[in-house]
Amino acid sequence: MTKIEINEFPRKRKRIINKKECEYDLKEVLLPLFEAYYEALKMYNKEVAQTPPSARPRAFEANLLLAKLIQCVQNHFGSDLKRGKYGRLMLTVNGYIIFFKKLDKNNMPMNIRTVLSDSIENQLQGSLFEDDYDGTSPILFFGYKKDSLGLFVQPKLVYIDEGKVCWEINENNLNSLSKATKTIHPLLPTAEVGIKENVKIKKNVN
């Protein structure tokens, strides 16, 4: 009898989605998600100024912004924010899983490469929770970049499959999905690490 290795069996994939499908499914989620990001920036701007640059450890700014973002997402979505395996925090809403990460120049999450991160970036099924979970929900990343001036910019939702970004939903897309305009006023940046908040987001009104 021929011995068959486990990795010869194809792994099941998560539900594959396109951009329009995602925009429809998350139409009630996108605006509060971006609002949470800008609320987090305000909190970050206040708190980062309390620590002089000479006392900031490596990745201090990115980790602080991520913590503030998680805090604001929890304020908006409550118990839909869950902690999975290895302490990963994720938003589980409307049949989707959303992680939060700083992005690199290619809009990919800045991860240490692991088997789990490779599985996530290839939309392979697998339990991300300690309890029973069917593993079919598509995974998205809500991320942002840090530019050469130290500004956190370009918040966006990205969908990754086969190890590359397939599409994204950014603020321009959000504007096109809404009817009324809401302006979030910019804050003055800190002396060392600035924040760009000059953005207009449209919001439905009844």
Side-chain angles (χ1 to χ4, degrees):
M1 179 179 294
T2 303
K3 182 179 179 180
I4 301 177
E5 299 293 338
I6 292 178
N7 59 11
E8 292 183 31
F9 292 97
R11 290 184 61 181
K12 293 182 179 179
R13 289 171 54 78
K14 294 178 175 294
R15 179 170 62 89
I16 306 301
I17 54 169
N18 58 44
K19 182 176 177 177
K20 288 190 176 299
E21 180 182 5
C22 181
E23 289 175 337
Y24 178 81
D25 292 340
L26 299 183
K27 59 181 179 294
E28 303 299 329
V29 173
L30 292 173
L31 180 60
L33 193 56
F34 277 83
E35 286 181 336
Y37 170 78
Y38 282 101
E39 291 167 7
L41 282 181
K42 292 178 182 179
M43 297 172 66
Y44 165 89
N45 197 41
K46 180 178 179 180
E47 294 190 23
V48 76
Q50 300 175 19
T51 305
S54 60
R56 298 174 190 173
R58 182 176 178 272
F60 172 78
E61 292 89 354
N63 288 334
L64 177 60
L65 178 56
L66 179 59
K68 296 295 102 180
L69 177 57
I70 292 297
Q71 180 180 346
C72 293
V73 168
Q74 188 172 40
N75 290 340
H76 279 270
F77 295 97
S79 61
D80 288 332
L81 184 68
K82 303 180 185 296
R83 190 176 296 274
K85 288 183 176 179
Y86 314 112
R88 288 173 177 263
L89 285 163
M90 61 194 83
L91 181 63
T92 58
V93 60
N94 293 8
Y96 289 78
I97 295 173
I98 302 175
F99 288 109
F100 303 90
K101 272 289 185 180
K102 181 182 175 185
L103 305 175
D104 65 18
K105 63 181 181 180
N106 298 314
N107 292 325
M108 294 290 289
M110 299 183 70
N111 291 321
I112 297 174
R113 304 309 305 175
T114 66
V115 172
L116 180 58
S117 66
D118 286 342
S119 176
I120 289 172
E121 292 175 11
N122 285 280
Q123 298 290 333
L124 300 178
Q125 286 192 27
S127 176
L128 295 173
F129 303 97
E130 299 296 346
D131 53 358
D132 291 335
Y133 179 69
D134 66 6
T136 61
S137 297
I139 292 176
L140 302 166
F141 284 90
F142 185 90
Y144 44 86
K145 296 181 180 180
K146 190 175 183 181
D147 69 11
S148 59
L149 299 177
L151 302 175
F152 286 106
V153 297
Q154 300 179 29
K156 63 186 65 180
L157 201 66
V158 296
Y159 178 74
I160 299 170
D161 195 9
E162 297 182 347
K164 62 182 180 181
V165 175
C166 299
W167 46 262
E168 67 178 57
I169 297 174
N170 56 38
E171 292 167 325
N172 290 332
N173 302 131
L174 195 63
N175 288 340
S176 68
L177 293 172
S178 306
K179 295 180 180 178
T181 299
K182 175 182 178 181
T183 301
I184 299 180
H185 297 286
L187 293 178
L188 292 176
T190 62
E192 295 295 328
V193 180
I195 296 173
K196 186 177 292 184
E197 296 190 65
N198 53 325
V199 61
K200 291 184 178 180
I201 296 180
K202 294 183 178 179
K203 183 176 182 180
N204 289 322
V205 294
N206 294 325

